[in-house]
Structures are given as C-alpha cells and as structure tokens.
C-alpha cells in the first residue's frame, strides 16, 4: 500500500474535509471559509434552543407552583428557590440577548439559507426535544433519590407523592421520546433524498458515469451504485445519530457532572481522566478498522455486482452453459468478502475485549468511593443510587467514542468512499490525471455547422497505440460517409472521438451540438420503460403523437410490434423479448422520430437482411439526415458518397463513391 493510500484510512484533516464537503451542502452551501459560518449557525441554533428551554422550564415551574402550592412548599422548595433566584439573576436577560444575537445570525444568512429552512427547523425541534428528554432524566434522578430516601426513612406520604410524580413524568416523556426518534429518522430520510439527488445530478452531468469507467482496472471509483445507494443512506443516518449523540453527551455531561460534583469531586475527576484514556486508546485501535471496513464495503459491492451481471447476461450464460465458471467467479467474490469479514470480526472482538473491560470495571467505582461517605453519615441513602446513576450517565457520555468506535470506523470508511466519489465527480478528468496518459495531448472539439476532422490522431485511453494518424475529412450536409476496415482497426473509436467520449490524441474535431447528432451504438440499447419511451429515446418527453409513432414503426418494418405487446404503453424487458434485428430497427426508428441533423450508425443494420437494410437507408436519405455509418457489407457503399478505410498502424484512405 502506498503512503497516499494509507492516508485514506486515518482520522485526519482530509477525513474531516471530506465529511464537511458531503454533509454541509444540505444545510448550507459549501465553499471557501463557509464551514466556519456553518458551524457558527449550528452554535446559534443551540443557543436558541438553550435559551428557549431555559424560559420554558422557568415558566413551567412557576405554573406548577401556582397549581400545587402545598406540594412545592413541602417537597419542591429547593427547586422553586432555584428558579426564583434564576429569575432574579441576569440569566433571563442574557437569554434574551443570546436569542437576539442568534436570530440576527440566521437573518444575516437568510439568502444562503433559502430553501434550507425546513432542515434547520427540524434540527431545531430535534435539539429542543433532546434538551427536554435530558431535563426529564435529571428530574427522574431526583425523583428516585427522594423515593429511596423516603423509603429508607419510612415516610409513606412522600414516597407515594413521588411515585405519582414518576408516573406523570413518564406519561409526558414517552410521547416526547417517540416524537424525537421519529423526527430523527424523518430528517435522515429527507437528507438522504436530497443528497442522493445531489450525487445523481453530478453523476449524470458531463457524462461522468462514462468517464469514471468504474468497471475498468484503472478506476479509482469502484461500484458507484453502492456509493450512491448504501453509502449515502448510512452517511445521512449515522451523521445525524452522531451529531445528536454528541450533543446529548454534552448535555448529559453538563447536567450530571453537576450532580456528581455535588456528591463527590474525586469521583468526577477520576472519571474524566479514565474516560480520556479510554477515548485515546479506542481511537488508536480503531484506526486500523477504517481500512478493513472500507474494503468490506468494496468487496460486498463487488459480490453483489457479480450476481447482477449474471442476471443481466442470463441468456448468453445459459447458451454457453457457463454456470460452473460463473458460479466460481461469484464464489470467489464471496470468499473475498468473507476473508475480509473474518479479519473484521477479529478486530471487533479485540475492541470488544477492551470495551467490556473498560465498562465492567468502572461499575464498582461509585460504590467504592460513595459507600464510605454514606457509612460515615455524610450522605443520605438515596444519594448512593443517584451517584451511581449520575456516574453511569457521565461515563456513557464521556465514553461515546470508546463505545462507538466500531460504528465510527465504519462511518469513516463511508465518508472516504463518498468523499473520493465527490472529488471525482466534481473535478473533470481527475481520474485521468492520475493515469499514465496524463502527458498525452487531447483532441480539441469545436462547435460548427458540419462534422469535420482536422489532422486527428487518436489513441485508446491509457494506451500509446495509435488507431488513426493525421486524419482529415469533412462530412458536409448530404455527403454521407461510410467507414470500413478490419475488426479492431479503430472504426468505432473514431465515432467515440466525434461524440467526445474519447479524446486521447491530437487534432481538431468540429461538429454541431450533441443534441443535433444521434449515435446508434454497435450494441442496441433498450431502456427500462414503455414502448413509447423506447421509441422517443433519448428524448424524455413525448415529441410525437401516437399516429406518428405507429407510422414510424411501420417504416422500420415493425408494424405489428405495438399490437403484439399490447400498445405503445406496454412495459417489457425489451432487450430480452426483442430479437437483435428488431432492437436495431427500434434504434433506427429513434432517428426518424428525433430527426437529428447527423445520424451516426455503428453497424446499426448488421443484424438485418440486405433488403431491409436498403429500405431503411432509402428512408433515411429521404429524411434529410446526413449519416456516418460504420459497416462491413460492400452493399452499404450504395447509400454513401464517400468511404474512409481505416487500415493497420494508423493508416487510412479516403475516397469518394461514384454512382
Ligand atoms: N476502453 C478501451 N480501452 C483501451 N482499448 C480499447 C478500449 N476500447 C476498445 N479498445 C481497443 O481499441 C481498438 C479499436 O476498437 P474499435 O472498437 O474502434 O474497433 P472497430 O474497428 O470498431 O472494431 P469492430 O469492427 O470489431 O467493431 C481495439 O483494438 C480495441 O481493443
């Protein structure tokens, strides 16, 4: 593994940048220095939530005191006094000031936050619910303390009173907790939908899906499908989980550390030291897991793709009776995933060993420290249980990283996969730059009224082999060109260069906008959709009425097709229910329907009989479309005006065809 590769699997700045690049856009535009503003906005949101919760809890306490004055006078005196002194302190004014500042921060960013208010609102509600759940936990810790102490002191009245309070708190808490969980998932789903669209937009823009060449041995981006599906889903879900868990831990720390501090300072400081040690150790062990998790995601995706290929090529495999080899290949992919998984569970076991030791051992500590205080009469009985509860809460808050290290490393792996993908999608030619071909010049494409090539030398990607050297030709309107030559000489490659798919080499290609050209590739491509969508492809909206579509089917000799399958809106797996010749005729029908200025036909009639082929070429000539065809049959010469013969080692010969 190179040093650069090893760097992909560390907790470092690059991982942080990748995380921010992927996570931020849903909430705030990404760009230079924008992350700071984004973090300030999160802080402002927290300030709003804290201030509102402060006012809410003060208001609720005053309201409850007015309704149950006797109870609060007897049992809740401390709380009422606390709230009264809070009201008389500068806290409410500070709260109001903080609210105003936080509000101003949001207002100042309103333009950049356009269409992003829903996510901020949901995040705000989630944070508020989180605060409330935390507050309820603190109340419960006191309720139990009073229950235990009342039991120990045999005070029946107080005992029953607090049992009632417990019941009431639970009735309030359950719907809040359920709403909190629901909203957390809801925000995750909305975010996933947005982020997936965001990636899909880039994946299809500038033909990135082709440029990434994800099935090639040179690719940096394997299995984009898995990155767009599984990686994004886990990214959004886990980011929210972690964000809220971290905030929850901070709140728990603030509320329960105060309780713990009031019971025993030694216990609190010891705990903080212990948790710091645990976190550092967990990160050190966990770093190794990032790479293993990354590999696991890749190998699982390879395995799944192996099976998808079998499904897509079922008929060819069945003809060849290639089951044994296919099964062997799929099994090898499975074994690759299993081997890595075995490594993963060994490391997980090692981490569990550390985590369990860490967690079990600490359970004893509060008793060891608190019991002597109780036995000496310095603490009431309920304080022991409260101290253990507070200790447990603070410990779990401080041990977030230690306890979640496996999930964190899985998360880091998916951040890396998404980050790499994002970089590759955003930087045109990023992957090409890293290839050995980086020094080779590129063919330049200009827009012009007709197709012409000027001194074009063309090579396949990642190769120094020359397919054609210094080729110049012009295909003016109506001056149809036929390209011939031995198999593998570079005929289809020339078409790829005209389409802008390949640009390794030199020279200039002039062509109209791609929207004015229609390429029919060598292997007919049938989309997933209805017969109508099939015919109008690559247009996505209806560009012709039913009569025209049925007339075109007749023109390409498929007049019974619509009837055979139940109309233009019938849905089939067209690539398996149509013969190759029928698929080629559907592809030609697309030329009649879309009526491009140039049709580029790569052996597009190779599966048709000679008469059918002649009919279709005559119809194409009548249409007024200029065509460039690649083919082997000598009869094709009858329909073209010039012929390019591609020969070995980059040589070629251009001649006009005399009628
Ligand atoms: N993605 C690729 N990377 C590297 N080389 C490629 C790639 N695709 C095709 N080639 C090579 O480029 C050469 C030209 O391929 P091309 O498809 O243009 O041949 P062709 O003349 O159209 O052949 P045929 O008549 O058999 O369709 C072939 O030797 C092929 O192996």
């Amino acid at each position: 593994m190179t040093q650069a590769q090893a760097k992909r699997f560390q907790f470092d700045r690059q991982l942080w940048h990748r995380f921010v690049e992927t996570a931020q856009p849903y909430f705030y535009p990404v760009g230079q220095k924008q992350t700071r503003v984004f973090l300030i906005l999160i802080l402002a949101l927290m300030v709003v939530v804290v201030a509102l919760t402060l006012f809410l809890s003060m208001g609720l306490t005053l309201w409850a005191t007015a309704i149950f004055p006797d109870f609060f006078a007897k049992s809740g005196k401390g709380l009422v006094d606390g709230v009264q002194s809070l009201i008389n302190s500068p806290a409410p004014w500070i709260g109001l000031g903080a609210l105003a500042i936080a509000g101003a921060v949001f207002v100042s960013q309103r333009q950049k936050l356009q269409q992003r208010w829903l996510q901020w609102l949901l995040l705000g509600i989630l944070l508020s619910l989180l605060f409330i759940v935390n507050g309820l936990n603190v109340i419960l810790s006191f309720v139990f303390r009073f229950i235990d102490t009342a039991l120990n002191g045999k005070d029946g009245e107080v005992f029953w009173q607090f049992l009632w309070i417990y019941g009431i708190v639970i009735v309030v808490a359950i719907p809040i907790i359920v709403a909190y969980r629901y909203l957390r998932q809801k925000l995750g789903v909305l975010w996933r939908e947005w982020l997936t669209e965001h990636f899909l937009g880039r994946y299809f823009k500038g033909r990135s899906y082709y440029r990434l060449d994800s099935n090639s041995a040179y690719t940096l981006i394997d299995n984009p499908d898995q990155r767009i599906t599984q990686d994004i889903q886990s990214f959004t879900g886990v980011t929210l989980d972690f964000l809220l868990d971290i905030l929850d831990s901070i709140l728990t720390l603030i509320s329960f550390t105060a309780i713990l501090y009031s019971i025993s300072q030694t216990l609190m400081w010891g705990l903080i030291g212990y948790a710091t040690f645990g976190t550092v150790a967990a990160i050190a062990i966990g770093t190794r897991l990032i790479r293993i998790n990354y590999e696991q995601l890749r190998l699982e995706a390879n395995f799944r793709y192996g099976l998808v290929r079998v499904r897509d090529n079922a008929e060819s495999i069945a003809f060849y009776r290639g089951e044994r080899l296919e099964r062997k290949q799929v099994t090898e992919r499975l074994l690759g995933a299993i081997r890595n998984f075995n490594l993963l569970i060994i490391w997980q076991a090692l981490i569990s060993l550390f985590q369990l030791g860490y967690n079990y051992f600490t359970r004893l500590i509060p008793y060891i420290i608190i019991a002597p205080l109780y036995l000496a009469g310095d603490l009431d009985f309920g304080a022991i249980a409260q101290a253990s509860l507070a200790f447990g809460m603070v410990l779990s808050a401080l041990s977030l990283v230690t306890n979640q290290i496996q999930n964190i490393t899985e998360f880091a792996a998916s951040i890396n996969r998404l980050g790499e993908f994002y970089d590759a999608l955003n930087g045109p030619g990023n992957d090409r730059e890293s290839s050995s071909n980086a020094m080779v010049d590129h063919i330049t494409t200009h827009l012009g009224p007709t197709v012409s090539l000027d001194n074009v030398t063309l090579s396949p990607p990642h190769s120094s082999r020359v397919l054609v050297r210094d080729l110049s030709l012009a295909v003016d309107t109506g001056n149809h060109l036929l390209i011939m030559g031995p198999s593998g000489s570079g005929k289809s490659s020339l078409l790829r260069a005209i389409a802008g798919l390949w640009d390794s080499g030199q020279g200039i290609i002039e062509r109209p906008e791609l929207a004015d050209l229609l390429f029919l590739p060598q292997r007919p491509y049938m989309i997933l959709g209805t017969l109508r969508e099939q015919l109008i492809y690559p247009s996505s909206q209806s560009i012709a009425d039913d009569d025209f579509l049925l007339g075109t089917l007749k023109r390409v000799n498929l007049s019974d097709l619509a009837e055979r399958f139940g109309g233009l809106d019938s849905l089939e797996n067209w690539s398996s229910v149509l013969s190759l010749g029928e698929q080629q005729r559907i592809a030609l029908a697309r030329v009649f329907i879309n009526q491009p200025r140039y049709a580029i036909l790569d052996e597009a009639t190779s599966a048709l009989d000679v008469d059918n082929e002649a009919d279709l070429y005559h119809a194409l000539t009548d249409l007024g479309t200029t065509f460039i065809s690649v083919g082997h049959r000598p009869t094709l010469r009858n329909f073209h005006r010039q012929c390019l013969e591609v020969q070995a080692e980059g040589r070629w010969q251009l001649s006009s065809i005399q009628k």
Side-chain angles (χ1 to χ4, degrees), residues 382-401:
I384 298 187
Q386 193 184 23
S388 329
L389 178 76
F391 182 87
M393 290 293 223
V394 176
L395 178 71
S396 74
L398 286 175
S399 310
L400 185 73
V401 174

mmCIF file of all heavy atoms in Angstrom, residues 382-401:
data_model
loop_
_atom_site.group_PDB
_atom_site.id
_atom_site.type_symbol
_atom_site.label_atom_id
_atom_site.label_comp_id
_atom_site.label_asym_id
_atom_site.label_seq_id
_atom_site.Cartn_x
_atom_site.Cartn_y
_atom_site.Cartn_z
ATOM 1 N N GLY A 382 -30.462 7.777 49.482
ATOM 2 C CA GLY A 382 -30.817 7.972 48.068
ATOM 3 C C GLY A 382 -29.653 8.491 47.256
ATOM 4 O O GLY A 382 -29.584 8.273 46.048
ATOM 5 N N ALA A 383 -28.710 9.184 47.908
ATOM 6 C CA ALA A 383 -27.585 9.750 47.169
ATOM 7 C C ALA A 383 -26.707 8.665 46.549
ATOM 8 O O ALA A 383 -26.067 8.887 45.503
ATOM 9 C CB ALA A 383 -26.755 10.638 48.077
ATOM 10 N N ILE A 384 -26.671 7.457 47.160
ATOM 11 C CA ILE A 384 -25.834 6.387 46.595
ATOM 12 C C ILE A 384 -26.365 6.014 45.215
ATOM 13 O O ILE A 384 -25.630 5.960 44.228
ATOM 14 C CB ILE A 384 -25.848 5.131 47.499
ATOM 15 C CG1 ILE A 384 -25.273 5.485 48.861
ATOM 16 C CG2 ILE A 384 -25.064 3.992 46.841
ATOM 17 C CD1 ILE A 384 -25.087 4.307 49.764
ATOM 18 N N ALA A 385 -27.702 5.777 45.164
ATOM 19 C CA ALA A 385 -28.289 5.393 43.875
ATOM 20 C C ALA A 385 -28.148 6.533 42.878
ATOM 21 O O ALA A 385 -27.813 6.314 41.706
ATOM 22 C CB ALA A 385 -29.759 5.039 44.065
ATOM 23 N N GLN A 386 -28.357 7.766 43.350
ATOM 24 C CA GLN A 386 -28.252 8.897 42.422
ATOM 25 C C GLN A 386 -26.812 9.049 41.913
ATOM 26 O O GLN A 386 -26.582 9.319 40.740
ATOM 27 C CB GLN A 386 -28.722 10.197 43.090
ATOM 28 C CG GLN A 386 -28.913 11.294 42.042
ATOM 29 C CD GLN A 386 -29.276 12.648 42.626
ATOM 30 O OE1 GLN A 386 -28.989 12.919 43.794
ATOM 31 N NE2 GLN A 386 -29.904 13.476 41.830
ATOM 32 N N ALA A 387 -25.861 8.838 42.840
ATOM 33 C CA ALA A 387 -24.463 8.944 42.416
ATOM 34 C C ALA A 387 -24.146 7.880 41.374
ATOM 35 O O ALA A 387 -23.474 8.153 40.370
ATOM 36 C CB ALA A 387 -23.537 8.791 43.617
ATOM 37 N N SER A 388 -24.641 6.642 41.575
ATOM 38 C CA SER A 388 -24.338 5.593 40.572
ATOM 39 C C SER A 388 -24.984 5.947 39.243
ATOM 40 O O SER A 388 -24.388 5.748 38.184
ATOM 41 C CB SER A 388 -24.856 4.217 40.927
ATOM 42 O OG SER A 388 -24.884 4.011 42.212
ATOM 43 N N LEU A 389 -26.231 6.483 39.312
ATOM 44 C CA LEU A 389 -26.902 6.852 38.072
ATOM 45 C C LEU A 389 -26.123 7.968 37.366
ATOM 46 O O LEU A 389 -25.800 7.878 36.172
ATOM 47 C CB LEU A 389 -28.329 7.328 38.378
ATOM 48 C CG LEU A 389 -29.123 7.785 37.165
ATOM 49 C CD1 LEU A 389 -29.596 6.586 36.362
ATOM 50 C CD2 LEU A 389 -30.318 8.630 37.572
ATOM 51 N N ALA A 390 -25.778 9.012 38.153
ATOM 52 C CA ALA A 390 -25.047 10.134 37.565
ATOM 53 C C ALA A 390 -23.710 9.650 37.024
ATOM 54 O O ALA A 390 -23.287 10.037 35.926
ATOM 55 C CB ALA A 390 -24.830 11.215 38.612
ATOM 56 N N PHE A 391 -23.047 8.780 37.762
ATOM 57 C CA PHE A 391 -21.766 8.239 37.330
ATOM 58 C C PHE A 391 -21.926 7.496 35.983
ATOM 59 O O PHE A 391 -21.176 7.700 35.045
ATOM 60 C CB PHE A 391 -21.228 7.292 38.410
ATOM 61 C CG PHE A 391 -19.894 6.721 38.085
ATOM 62 C CD1 PHE A 391 -18.740 7.407 38.429
ATOM 63 C CD2 PHE A 391 -19.790 5.499 37.437
ATOM 64 C CE1 PHE A 391 -17.497 6.877 38.118
ATOM 65 C CE2 PHE A 391 -18.556 4.969 37.121
ATOM 66 C CZ PHE A 391 -17.404 5.649 37.469
ATOM 67 N N GLY A 392 -22.967 6.654 35.947
ATOM 68 C CA GLY A 392 -23.214 5.888 34.713
ATOM 69 C C GLY A 392 -23.483 6.818 33.535
ATOM 70 O O GLY A 392 -22.969 6.619 32.437
ATOM 71 N N MET A 393 -24.285 7.861 33.783
ATOM 72 C CA MET A 393 -24.620 8.806 32.711
ATOM 73 C C MET A 393 -23.372 9.523 32.215
ATOM 74 O O MET A 393 -23.132 9.636 31.007
ATOM 75 C CB MET A 393 -25.624 9.854 33.220
ATOM 76 C CG MET A 393 -26.996 9.310 33.477
ATOM 77 S SD MET A 393 -27.766 8.826 31.948
ATOM 78 C CE MET A 393 -29.371 9.409 32.102
ATOM 79 N N VAL A 394 -22.586 10.041 33.159
ATOM 80 C CA VAL A 394 -21.379 10.786 32.760
ATOM 81 C C VAL A 394 -20.402 9.855 32.053
ATOM 82 O O VAL A 394 -19.829 10.205 31.027
ATOM 83 C CB VAL A 394 -20.714 11.445 34.002
ATOM 84 C CG1 VAL A 394 -19.415 12.120 33.608
ATOM 85 C CG2 VAL A 394 -21.654 12.450 34.622
ATOM 86 N N LEU A 395 -20.287 8.644 32.581
ATOM 87 C CA LEU A 395 -19.367 7.694 31.963
ATOM 88 C C LEU A 395 -19.804 7.410 30.522
ATOM 89 O O LEU A 395 -18.990 7.433 29.594
ATOM 90 C CB LEU A 395 -19.339 6.393 32.765
ATOM 91 C CG LEU A 395 -18.434 5.332 32.162
ATOM 92 C CD1 LEU A 395 -16.974 5.729 32.323
ATOM 93 C CD2 LEU A 395 -18.663 3.967 32.810
ATOM 94 N N SER A 396 -21.107 7.158 30.325
ATOM 95 C CA SER A 396 -21.510 6.820 28.953
ATOM 96 C C SER A 396 -21.359 8.030 28.035
ATOM 97 O O SER A 396 -21.030 7.884 26.863
ATOM 98 C CB SER A 396 -22.923 6.240 28.910
ATOM 99 O OG SER A 396 -23.841 7.261 29.116
ATOM 100 N N ALA A 397 -21.552 9.246 28.577
ATOM 101 C CA ALA A 397 -21.347 10.428 27.742
ATOM 102 C C ALA A 397 -19.879 10.576 27.371
ATOM 103 O O ALA A 397 -19.534 10.835 26.214
ATOM 104 C CB ALA A 397 -21.826 11.670 28.486
ATOM 105 N N LEU A 398 -19.009 10.378 28.362
ATOM 106 C CA LEU A 398 -17.579 10.547 28.089
ATOM 107 C C LEU A 398 -17.032 9.404 27.232
ATOM 108 O O LEU A 398 -15.995 9.532 26.608
ATOM 109 C CB LEU A 398 -16.805 10.593 29.410
ATOM 110 C CG LEU A 398 -16.934 11.881 30.221
ATOM 111 C CD1 LEU A 398 -16.211 11.726 31.549
ATOM 112 C CD2 LEU A 398 -16.342 13.057 29.456
ATOM 113 N N SER A 399 -17.747 8.286 27.236
ATOM 114 C CA SER A 399 -17.217 7.112 26.537
ATOM 115 C C SER A 399 -17.845 6.945 25.163
ATOM 116 O O SER A 399 -17.826 5.854 24.609
ATOM 117 C CB SER A 399 -17.469 5.848 27.362
ATOM 118 O OG SER A 399 -17.028 6.058 28.659
ATOM 119 N N LEU A 400 -18.408 8.017 24.638
ATOM 120 C CA LEU A 400 -19.084 7.907 23.339
ATOM 121 C C LEU A 400 -18.158 7.308 22.281
ATOM 122 O O LEU A 400 -18.514 6.360 21.585
ATOM 123 C CB LEU A 400 -19.558 9.303 22.911
ATOM 124 C CG LEU A 400 -20.387 9.311 21.646
ATOM 125 C CD1 LEU A 400 -21.760 8.744 21.904
ATOM 126 C CD2 LEU A 400 -20.527 10.726 21.091
ATOM 127 N N VAL A 401 -16.964 7.862 22.193
ATOM 128 C CA VAL A 401 -16.028 7.386 21.174
ATOM 129 C C VAL A 401 -15.607 5.953 21.482
ATOM 130 O O VAL A 401 -15.577 5.082 20.608
ATOM 131 C CB VAL A 401 -14.796 8.319 21.100
ATOM 132 C CG1 VAL A 401 -13.747 7.753 20.163
ATOM 133 C CG2 VAL A 401 -15.232 9.695 20.644
#
